[in-house]
Amino acid sequence: MKIGIIGAGNIGGNLTRRLTALGHDVAVANSRGPETLTALAEETGATPVTVGEAARGAEIVVVTIPLKAVPDLPAGLLDGAADGVAVIDTGNYYPQQRDGRIAEIEDDGITESRWTERRIGHPVVKAFNGTFAQDILDRPLPAGDPARMALPVAGDDETAKRKVRDLIDALGFDTVDAGGIDDSWRQQPGTPVYGLRDGVEGVTKALSEASPDRTPEFRG
C-alpha cells in the first residue's frame, strides 16, 4: 500500500521502519521539512515529503504529532488521498506536560480523537496511542503466538477500522475492537489499557475497567 506518515518522532519513525520493511510505499513528513528526514529516508527507503504532500495517493495516513499541533495541519490535507483513505490517529492529550488546556476536551467531554477528527475534517481510527514506540520494533510476533501483544483500535468507520486492524496484524500484533470514537476514552492516557503489554484477553479486560474520569495528571 501507499502509506503517508505525518510526524517522524518515536512512533512515526518506527512505523516508517517497520512499514517499509514490509514492502509498503511510505511517504514521511514532519513540521521541520523533508530536508531534516534524510537520515530516516536513507535508512528505510521512505520518501521524505512536506506535510501537505504526505497524503497524496495514500490508502492509509498516520497522524502522529502532538495534539496541540493538529490545528496547524494544512487545510485540505487529505484532498489528494486515495478514495476511502483510513486515517490513524495516534495522539494523546497531555495538558500539563505539553499541550496546554483544550476546553472542548476538558469542558465538553469529547474524546481526544473526536477533537482531532473535527480539526482535520475526516474520520479517524485511534490506534498506537498507548503503545511504546520501541515495541513496534522489538515485540512483533506471528499470529497465534500466545505471547503476542494486542492493541486497542477505536473508530466509527468499520471499513477503515478493518483496514487498520489488518495492517496492525501484518505488523505482528493482535487487535481488540475498542468501539467507536466516542468510546475511545477507554484507551486515553491514565486508563488501564494505556501502555499495557498484554494479549487480547488482558486488553479486553482493561478496556472494560476504564473510567471516563480523567486522572489528575491528565487534566488541565
Side-chain angles (χ1 to χ4, degrees):
M1 283 190 292
K2 186 168 177 53
I3 298 174
I5 298 180
I6 300 171
N10 294 333
I11 292 286
N14 284 349
L15 283 174
T16 298
R17 292 178 177 93
R18 289 284 289 120
L19 291 168
T20 52
L22 290 174
H24 295 290
D25 179 4
V26 177
V28 60
N30 67 7
S31 60
R32 295 179 294 143
E35 65 279 0
T36 66
L37 296 169
T38 302
L40 182 62
E42 290 177 349
E43 176 192 346
T44 63
T47 304
V49 296
T50 66
V51 171
E53 296 168 329
R56 189 171 297 165
E59 297 170 65
I60 292 179
V61 174
V62 184
V63 178
T64 180
I65 61 176
L67 206 68
K68 67 179 181 180
V70 169
D72 298 328
L73 290 170
L77 177 70
L78 300 166
D79 287 353
D83 290 343
V85 61
V87 178
I88 299 174
D89 168 36
T90 78
N92 291 309
Y93 175 48
Y94 300 124
Q96 300 174 35
Q97 301 86 348
R98 183 190 66 195
D99 298 314
R101 191 177 193 278
I102 297 176
E104 284 175 87
I105 293 174
E106 297 269 3
D107 301 334
D108 299 342
I110 69 169
T111 62
E112 299 160 7
S113 288
R114 184 67 76 194
W115 185 86
T116 295
E117 268 192 353
R118 292 177 180 179
R119 296 302 167 291
I120 66 173
H122 193 281
V124 303
V125 177
K126 190 176 188 74
F128 297 109
N129 72 291
T131 308
F132 292 100
Q134 194 60 34
D135 288 352
I136 294 170
L137 301 182
D138 294 347
R139 289 180 175 256
L141 289 170
D145 190 305
R148 201 183 205 215
M149 280 177 51
L151 310 183
V153 179
D156 298 333
D157 182 330
E158 292 301 324
T159 301
K161 186 156 61 172
R162 172 45 58 193
K163 188 183 294 187
V164 172
R165 294 181 71 182
D166 287 346
L167 185 71
I168 293 172
D169 177 63
L171 284 165
F173 302 93
D174 287 333
T175 58
V176 174
D177 190 332
I181 288 300
D182 288 337
D183 302 312
S184 64
W185 57 265
R186 293 183 179 276
Q187 64 194 80
Q188 291 176 166
T191 60
V193 83
Y194 179 76
L196 180 67
R197 289 167 164 148
D198 207 342
V200 169
E201 184 176 343
V203 167
T204 301
K205 182 174 184 289
L207 287 168
S208 73
E209 293 173 346
S211 166
D213 298 325
R214 292 183 178 275
T215 55
E217 65 269 33
F218 297 115
R219 290 202 296 262

